Amino acid sequence: MKFNIGVIAGDGIGPEITDEAWKVLLKVGQVYGHEFVRTDILMGGCSIDACGEPLTQEAIDTAKAQDAVLMGSIGGNTSTSPWYKLPPEKRPEAGLLKIRKELGLFANLRPAYLYPQLAEACPLRSEVAKEGFDMLIMRELTGGLYFGDRYTKEVDGLMTAVDTLSYNETEIRRIAKRAFDVALKRRKKVTSVDKANVLDSSRLWRKITEEVAKDYPEVELSHMLVDNAAMQLVKDPAQFDVILTENMFGDILSDEASMVTGSIGMLASASLNESKFGLYEPSGGSAPDIAGQGIANPLATILSAAMMLRFSFDLDKEADAIEDAVRALLDDGIRTGDILPQSGDLTGITQVGTSGMGDAVCDRI
Ligand code: IPM
Ligand code: MG
């Protein structure tokens, strides 16, 4: 079959890691007889440099015309890059928020899984790490604080900044349904994370989530306050199956979840709309400090490409092939620098760079 894929390489390590994911897709195409057609799309700092804005209308239209979009990462060093001297709506991140909104990508799936082979890279105590964990964060992506009214102005002689956290019941219901649907295919547990002891938006979140739960009697729903969830993620990550949460909490908890897997370089993500369309990107950032050195871990992007095959193209067998290849290379001791054993014992370990890791995946497909 033929699939059109928009590729947003972006900034920092983005181009390096997307090239490896593309290499893997081409290998999958060759082995399983599919044609993947690549159309590059500018977004982020590179788009600011080329077009004066982080995401042009042309880029949005091109993205919409694809079957799916694969993204690397956008943004630069917020203290030193000239991009961060621009007004907020002209900065790289504004492009990402705009594409999420324009494409209606309200459901952000971030699976965090501890590969047994990487237990040694996990910063948690070994008693905790040895239990393993396999969770999926279902983060609402087009509402909440990220998209509410915001302004900074003088009030009573004092500079005052306001951000608004708002959710309506439709926004909550549709993401809750996604969480329950995916839980049905997993261990049938949803932990809804909120701050219902303080926030009205969280109290509505709880109420609607409970309503949705009535349609899923097989799934067990529990609620957890976000501060407690942050603690439980490092204390006992094995308790979680699907974590359902709003935009900002999901942003924070997903970075935390990724780090307990050993490295943010392992965490894939899918941002989906109501249909099969999705934007697939690693959960990590553009890592400007290591950009261009050929040492970034491309596995999160490669695993995001696998999610694209599964969710947007219904190519389960091909997605399995990529995920199996990743497990196999970890078994074979292949590691980028970020996932080396913390003990420093490198017996049986081969350290590779970005392209070496891409090759290692291709060789096993
Ligand atoms: C993420 C990122 C983005 C977010 C930034 C770059 C705007 O941190 O995808 O988690 O906060 O959503
Ligand atoms: Mg984030």
Side-chain angles (χ1 to χ4, degrees), residues 273-288:
N273 68 10
E274 296 282 7
S275 72
K276 289 238 151 242
F277 184 89
L279 181 144
Y280 298 84
E281 54 167 319
S283 292
S286 60

Side-chain angles (χ1 to χ4, degrees), residues 100 110 139 146 250-252 254-255 283:
R100 287 174 179 168
R110 297 189 162 179
R139 168 189 177 194
Y146 278 60
D251 179 44
I252 298 169
S254 62
D255 266 32
S283 292

Side-chain angles (χ1 to χ4, degrees), residues 60-115:
I60 296 171
D61 294 341
T62 309
K64 279 187 182 161
Q66 309 302 313
D67 297 315
V69 175
L70 179 71
M71 189 189 131
S73 54
I74 52 115
N77 184 316
T78 50
S79 330
T80 57
S81 163
W83 300 327
Y84 296 93
K85 302 250 176 338
L86 297 167
E89 67 285 0
K90 297 266 185 219
R91 293 180 193 171
E93 286 71 12
L96 180 57
L97 298 189
K98 190 165 170 193
I99 203 167
R100 287 174 179 168
K101 197 69 169 181
E102 289 277 341
L103 302 180
L105 306 172
F106 68 89
N108 183 215
L109 285 67
R110 297 189 162 179
Y113 171 75
L114 182 65
Y115 289 86

Side-chain angles (χ1 to χ4, degrees), residues 134-136 176-192 212-223 238-244:
D134 176 2
M135 68 182 96
L136 183 140
K177 279 191 183 151
R178 284 291 173 94
F180 283 93
D181 284 338
V182 69
L184 281 176
K185 297 188 189 157
R186 299 175 45 103
R187 301 195 309 279
K188 301 190 175 54
K189 245 181 93 174
V190 171
T191 308
S192 176
V212 172
K214 293 197 182 104
D215 295 331
Y216 296 84
E218 315 86 310
V219 180
E220 179 198 329
L221 169 69
S222 60
H223 302 282
Q239 69 184 289
F240 295 110
D241 179 17
V242 177
I243 294 181
L244 162 66

